[in-house]
Amino acid sequence: MEAQLLSLAYPPLLVFAAALLVLVLPRLAGFAVGALSLAAVLAISLVAPEGQHLAGTFLGFERVVPFYVDDFSRMVGLGLGFLGVCSVIYAYSSEASKTLVAFALVYVSSSIGAAFAGDWLVLLFMWELMAVTSTLVVWHYGGEAVRAGFRYALFHGTGGVLVMMAVAVHYVEVGTFVYSDTGIANGIPAILAVLGMGVNVAFVGFHTWLPDTYPRPHIAASVFLSVYTTKTSAFVLYRAFPVDAQSDIGIYIAYMGGLMAVYGATFALLQHDMRALLSYHIQAQLGYIVAGIGMGTTVYSELAVAGAMSHLFNNILFKSLLFMAVGVVIYRTGEEDLYKLGGLWREMPLTAIGFGLGALSITAIPGFNGYVSKGMLFDAANPSPKYYGEPEFQALYWLLYLGAIGTLLSFIKLGYYVFLHGESDIEVADAKPGQTVAMLGLGGACLLFGVWWQGLADLAPTIQGADFAFEYPGGESNLHPYSTSHLETAGILTAIGLVGFAVVRKPLSKLDLGDPAMVVYPATYSVSRWTMLAVTETYAAVDAAVVGAVTRCYWIGNNPVLAVDAAAAQLPDWLVDVDERQPTDGGRPSTIHLRTGIGTTVLLLTLVLTVILWLLVV
């Protein structure tokens, strides 16, 4: 009975109500309500019974399912709920305003709504709401964030239109909006869906909004933004291309994921701005998730899907933790450039510990959660006989491998220059209590699921009941995350990262190469500017012409004699002779003398009438 009652408590509605209360309650009470609403989402995700809830009709469409619980949405709901609690605590301690947190909670509610949606119609509504509210979170900070927010809105608006078109064509072909085991319809719907969702999950070429936007708003806003749009969208990508879909474009999705892993890690390594570096690593880690989804739908790889969903869950934890740690550094020092910092571990040991936990997790060091989920994905891609990959994944495996090396190099660089390199020339306080609680809470979860990896395996959809299983202590298999071969791979990657950083550290510090894809912004700006000028100048000309015509008609109606004189004055002298108008105080009114004869007049009238009749007939 309790579980059934919890299924009636719609998680997005709880968070949305909390957002409204944040605005009217005292700051502490409002933030507490926001954190409790997300704790409720965590509880509902854990105990709500599997199946469709709150189903009904909407605008004549039958079987609209706003609340759908299965192993996939449960796992994502747990991650989003736990992160939400930590993020609100962090925002309170980081002096985020009530308005910002209210915007963020509405954004979170739409993201959770998209994760729990059971049909494409509800998903569309939540998808668009997520785009609008996340833009408000960016804009709220003002300054450079405003322009970045406009660019962000253009990207996500375009992606939303593509997804909407995909859903519309899907409905025409299938006749229902409800999710199915085969995902989005093949053909045009699948292509439109992968392009539209590719904007939100930062496909290479569609990714420039990420490093452009996330470094600019309030540090607490960056924490919210770093997770909810991209991870929810990656989950929705799985809904469109599930393991049962066997889509023809699955292999292309998989290789796009591999390219994202390498591209994101490469440009992260070249960044000076700390939040820009982390933003590129959102793309890189999403690459692993996208690769797992693509592999799953290409060859029915349950392991690849389990790895993708596990890495999505883990990414929620360690990516937000890294943004929190870097945010504290910015909050205390006011500096965004990692090369202008150094030696902060002595000044900020708690922040250094939080960063270390996140960095060890994202770089897949044994003992941390990223090691377990990345290991699943490597096993699913590796085509050697003792693993589970297919021959067509050979190049993908090496792309993921290169992405892992780039990730190690990036976080060695970030940790070295911010916390280890040299002596700190400034004295700053460490993280505030709320910031510390949030960071250590997330860091503890990263460590927990790395050590107690069976818990992560039990959460991972498609693992249980498959024809293979993780071996628990006392057993050994190729799938065991701490098998000898997996530990050897991790050791090799770590050694390459450490040696590689020692080699490239000095030349790397002198490089300042921009992302070539960012050329889209000046190009778009120029095109948009000239387009805007063309439109506005055309409008101004049309407006002036219409206003002028109306003004003249009004004047003619009030001054018909003067109007006739003025019109006649424009005619050639051989046609009319207009006397100069005399003053009306006793003078003679002007007269018009036609110089043409009757024949010419008839001819002119005939021509005019002929033209009019011709126009009417045509």
Side-chain angles (χ1 to χ4, degrees):
M1 179 62 71
E2 292 178 357
Q4 290 177 348
L5 289 175
L6 279 174
S7 70
L8 297 176
Y10 187 41
L13 189 58
L14 296 177
V15 182
F16 184 82
L20 299 179
L21 291 174
V22 166
L23 292 173
V24 298
L25 292 175
R27 189 168 185 271
L28 178 59
F31 280 58
V33 169
L36 288 173
S37 71
L38 287 155
V41 172
L42 180 64
I44 294 168
S45 301
L46 191 62
V47 303
E50 188 169 332
Q52 299 179 358
H53 307 291
L54 306 177
T57 61
F58 178 71
L59 296 178
F61 294 108
E62 297 181 356
R63 294 188 64 201
V64 175
V65 185
F67 188 18
Y68 178 63
V69 181
D70 63 359
D71 289 339
F72 294 94
S73 58
R74 192 187 306 281
M75 189 179 196
V76 175
L78 288 171
L80 297 182
F82 180 68
L83 169 64
V85 174
C86 296
S87 297
V88 172
I89 295 171
Y90 181 86
Y92 178 81
S93 198
S94 301
E95 300 177 5
S97 68
K98 295 199 300 181
T99 304
L100 172 60
V101 173
F103 286 156
L105 288 176
V106 176
Y107 164 48
V108 170
S109 72
S110 61
S111 175
I112 293 171
F116 279 111
D119 67 80
W120 294 108
L121 190 62
V122 174
L123 181 276
L124 273 181
F125 176 80
M126 293 299 179
W127 187 274
E128 294 303 319
L129 186 61
M130 188 167 62
V132 172
T133 51
S134 58
T135 302
L136 294 177
V137 172
V138 177
W139 274 344
H140 180 265
Y141 195 61
E144 292 183 355
V146 176
R147 284 192 174 185
F150 275 112
R151 294 190 290 266
Y152 176 92
L154 286 172
F155 267 97
H156 291 281
T158 302
V161 169
L162 291 171
V163 174
M164 189 179 301
M165 293 167 63
V167 171
V169 180
H170 170 83
Y171 182 80
V172 170
E173 294 188 8
V174 178
T176 180
F177 287 115
V178 178
Y179 290 157
S180 69
D181 292 339
T182 56
I184 200 83
N186 281 320
I188 297 298
I191 294 172
L192 291 172
V194 79
L195 291 175
M197 295 170 188
V199 173
N200 278 24
V201 295
F203 281 3
V204 176
F206 297 169
H207 69 282
T208 49
W209 59 270
L210 253 178
D212 177 57
T213 306
Y214 286 4
R216 304 184 191 280
H218 191 280
I219 58 170
S222 290
V223 172
F224 284 104
L225 291 165
S226 68
V227 167
Y228 284 96
T229 293
T230 50
K231 308 312 176 289
T232 303
S233 301
F235 177 55
V236 172
L237 181 67
Y238 173 74
R239 289 296 196 200
F241 301 95
V243 69
D244 291 332
Q246 297 292 285
S247 173
D248 295 335
I249 62 175
I251 189 68
Y252 302 106
I253 295 174
Y255 271 92
M256 174 56 77
L259 292 174
M260 290 166 64
V262 175
Y263 193 96
T266 299
F267 282 96
L269 191 59
L270 298 174
Q271 300 306 301
H272 290 216
D273 185 296
M274 292 182 288
R275 286 193 285 178
L277 184 152
L278 295 180
S279 297
Y280 274 109
H281 268 294
I282 293 176
Q283 182 192 30
Q285 299 308 305
L286 282 168
Y288 287 90
I289 300 168
V290 170
I293 293 169
M295 286 189 286
T297 195
T298 299
V299 297
Y300 194 84
S301 174
E302 293 172 317
L303 178 59
V305 172
M309 293 300 107
S310 298
H311 202 60
L312 188 155
F313 178 84
N314 289 337
N315 206 268
I316 290 172
L317 303 176
F318 58 64
K319 181 56 66 177
S320 55
L321 170 57
L322 289 164
F323 268 93
M324 285 182 181
V326 164
V328 173
V329 173
I330 296 169
Y331 177 76
R332 289 304 194 190
T333 66
E335 184 56 64
E336 302 262 2
D337 191 332
L338 62 91
Y339 287 114
K340 296 180 180 179
L341 298 167
L344 287 180
W345 71 270
R346 295 181 181 85
E347 304 292 331
M348 310 175 72
L350 293 175
T351 305
I353 291 171
F355 172 81
L357 291 170
L360 292 169
S361 299
I362 196 173
T363 53
I365 299 300
F368 294 87
N369 60 353
Y371 169 76
V372 179
S373 54
K374 273 190 181 178
M376 295 187 204
L377 292 165
F378 278 125
D379 287 354
N382 193 340
S384 62
K386 62 179 181 179
Y387 291 108
Y388 300 89
E390 298 292 330
E392 58 262 41
F393 297 154
Q394 181 68 74
L396 176 62
Y397 173 75
W398 289 113
L399 286 173
L400 298 179
Y401 202 93
L402 288 173
I405 294 173
T407 301
L408 275 159
L409 288 169
S410 298
F411 284 95
I412 294 171
K413 167 187 170 179
L414 182 56
Y416 175 77
Y417 281 108
V418 175
F419 293 104
L420 301 177
H421 177 60
E423 297 286 337
S424 176
D425 56 1
I426 55 175
E427 292 185 5
V428 292
D430 205 345
K432 297 173 73 172
Q435 294 170 330
T436 302
V437 168
M439 288 192 295
L440 295 184
L442 290 167
C446 291
L447 184 59
L448 172 67
F449 288 112
V451 176
W452 182 50
W453 55 267
Q454 297 91 340
L456 181 63
D458 289 340
L459 278 177
T462 72
I463 282 289
Q464 305 308 315
D467 58 356
F468 54 79
F470 280 106
E471 291 291 338
Y472 282 65
E476 178 78 5
S477 77
N478 291 329
L479 195 56
H480 192 293
Y482 290 99
S483 67
T484 302
S485 60
H486 286 96
L487 291 172
E488 286 177 353
T489 300
I492 292 170
L493 282 170
T494 304
I496 292 173
L498 290 170
V499 173
F501 181 73
V503 172
V504 303
R505 180 176 67 85
K506 287 188 177 180
L508 190 64
S509 65
K510 296 178 172 59
L511 289 176
D512 188 16
L513 301 178
D515 184 343
M518 296 294 274
V519 72
V520 71
Y521 286 135
T524 304
Y525 173 79
S526 298
V527 172
S528 300
R529 177 177 174 79
W530 289 109
T531 303
M532 180 191 68
L533 288 174
V535 171
T536 54
E537 291 300 324
T538 301
Y539 176 83
V542 172
D543 179 69
V546 171
V547 171
V550 172
T551 302
R552 288 184 179 89
C553 290
Y554 179 80
W555 182 80
I556 289 171
N558 286 282
N559 305 276
V561 176
L562 294 176
V564 172
D565 281 355
Q570 302 302 316
L571 297 174
D573 292 340
W574 62 267
L575 188 62
V576 296
D577 181 18
V578 181
D579 291 341
E580 184 179 353
R581 175 168 291 282
Q582 300 296 321
T584 57
D585 52 348
R588 179 175 60 84
S590 64
T591 58
I592 300 176
H593 303 285
L594 290 175
R595 289 186 175 180
T596 58
I598 294 176
T600 306
T601 303
V602 171
L603 177 61
L604 291 173
L605 289 173
T606 301
L607 290 173
V608 170
L609 290 172
T610 302
V611 172
I612 293 173
L613 287 171
W614 174 258
L615 294 174
L616 289 175
V617 171
V618 174

